Amino acid sequence: MIIIKILIPFQNHKEMTITDSKNNYQNVIIILICFGLHIGLSNYLYTFAKNLELVLSMRFISNCFANLLITSPIWVGNALLNDGKSYWQRLGLGSNIKEALVVIGFLTLLLSPFFIYNFSDFLHFLNTKGTVWILNIFLAEICLRVFFFRNLCNYTSWGILRNALIYTVIYLAFLIYSSLDNIIEAPSDFLPYYALNYLINFCVIFISSCFYFWLYVEWKHNFWLVFGVRLLISYYIAFVFGDGLLHYITWLFVAVPAVLIIIGTILYKRKKGLPLEVKRFW
């Protein structure tokens, strides 16, 4: 009940248009720096969370503590933004939950043949690791979809392709830096393998980011809808197909639910006579 009371005042809140150019410039710098710190901390604190879990023997508590450290730049950055909105309004959690549940339920029905076969495995997963898994995706969506993408859309005229490219470059830069010692020490024969691996990662991250950014804009920045879709697709990839497929082949299966929801979104808007929200791609 407390959560519902907090979210209701923001349900009809409209997106900020644009403040002044000076504030926008400062806000963009804050977003890029804080988000970069968040990505950098993620690479280092993942190992820290694993070690803490071994010490405390409590997966959820250790994961919460690690996530608090990893996301700390985002919470600080959200407070530093200057746009005339409150701290909680900038988090954008007041979107239409009912609309999100309808879309996610419909997509689940379309993918139900895959889920029914592994339903017992799914229940076992929820009982053992589900809470930590949901928390990780929830926080990741706040950091990427809300703090990074939504705010950059508010303060700039950048489209989804440019924002996705910036995110991909930031993420890969820290990923390469964290594994730089392995790359330097590796034999020269392995360098093409590393190059191909990072190229595949770039394509996967960029394409998936474009999809989620597009979905987020088309459904008028509905956080709960995108969060639910990502949960569904994450389960679809990790627990339906498992680890038996090669990494880059596995990611091709994202196209199945992604294509379904893209087609469904376009058909729904045509039926309702609603225009597509994405007018600018770059």
Side-chain angles (χ1 to χ4, degrees):
M1 290 296 296
I2 294 176
I3 295 176
I4 293 175
K5 289 179 180 179
I6 292 174
L7 294 181
I8 286 176
F10 307 136
Q11 283 244 334
N12 298 320
H13 177 75
K14 293 184 178 181
E15 291 297 314
M16 180 197 69
T17 52
I18 289 291
T19 54
D20 58 80
S21 58
K22 181 181 178 181
N23 283 344
N24 288 339
Y25 176 78
Q26 293 174 344
N27 288 336
V28 169
I29 296 299
I30 291 172
I31 292 169
L32 294 179
I33 291 176
C34 291
F35 187 76
L37 289 173
H38 159 67
I39 295 296
L41 287 174
S42 301
N43 292 327
Y44 289 102
L45 290 179
Y46 176 78
T47 305
F48 169 77
K50 290 293 182 182
N51 294 334
L52 188 63
E53 180 182 342
L54 295 175
V55 174
L56 298 178
S57 299
M58 292 184 291
R59 178 183 176 86
F60 181 74
I61 298 299
S62 60
N63 194 270
C64 286
F65 184 71
N67 272 317
L68 179 63
L69 296 177
I70 291 171
T71 58
S72 57
I74 301 300
W75 310 126
V76 173
N78 191 54
L80 293 176
L81 294 177
N82 181 17
D83 55 9
K85 293 161 66 175
S86 72
Y87 187 92
W88 297 106
Q89 286 173 338
R90 281 195 291 269
L91 288 179
L93 300 182
S95 22
N96 193 328
I97 299 178
K98 181 180 178 180
E99 181 183 65
L101 291 175
V102 171
V103 173
I104 295 163
F106 181 70
L107 184 60
T108 303
L109 287 176
L110 293 178
L111 298 174
S112 59
F114 300 102
F115 293 134
I116 291 174
Y117 180 74
N118 291 275
F119 189 67
S120 59
D121 293 338
F122 176 63
L123 291 179
H124 174 73
F125 166 76
L126 286 181
N127 290 329
T128 55
K129 302 178 181 179
T131 307
V132 172
W133 179 63
I134 293 172
L135 175 64
N136 288 343
I137 293 181
F138 175 77
L139 292 175
E141 283 299 305
I142 287 182
C143 295
L144 175 57
R145 219 69 59 200
V146 177
F147 180 78
F148 179 81
F149 178 70
R150 183 169 176 261
N151 284 329
L152 283 183
C153 286
N154 286 341
Y155 306 136
T156 70
S157 59
W158 302 345
I160 59 175
L161 295 178
R162 193 181 311 188
N163 286 321
L165 180 61
I166 293 172
Y167 163 66
T168 305
V169 170
I170 293 174
Y171 183 86
L172 278 184
F174 280 102
L175 183 64
I176 294 172
Y177 178 77
S178 63
S179 57
L180 196 58
D181 292 338
N182 294 332
I183 297 175
I184 294 174
E185 295 174 0
S188 58
D189 296 342
F190 279 78
L191 293 181
Y193 166 78
Y194 278 112
L196 178 62
N197 183 54
Y198 286 123
L199 178 61
I200 292 172
N201 273 280
F202 177 88
C203 294
V204 168
I205 295 170
F206 179 74
I207 294 173
S208 61
S209 297
C210 288
F211 164 68
Y212 285 114
F213 288 165
W214 178 86
L215 186 66
Y216 189 51
V217 174
E218 286 300 334
W219 288 93
K220 297 184 178 180
H221 294 174
N222 191 326
F223 170 83
W224 300 109
L225 188 146
V226 179
F227 167 60
V229 169
R230 184 171 173 186
L231 277 177
L232 195 62
I233 292 180
S234 297
Y235 170 74
Y236 174 81
I237 292 296
F239 302 99
V240 175
F241 294 99
D243 299 324
L245 298 172
L246 294 175
H247 175 68
Y248 59 90
I249 295 179
T250 303
W251 273 104
L252 292 178
F253 288 101
V254 175
V256 176
V259 168
L260 287 175
I261 199 162
I262 289 172
I263 294 175
T265 297
I266 295 174
L267 291 178
Y268 169 79
K269 294 209 165 190
R270 285 186 177 179
K271 183 179 179 180
K272 295 291 184 178
L274 300 172
L276 293 175
E277 296 293 328
V278 177
K279 302 293 193 301
R280 181 182 63 253
F281 284 93
W282 182 255

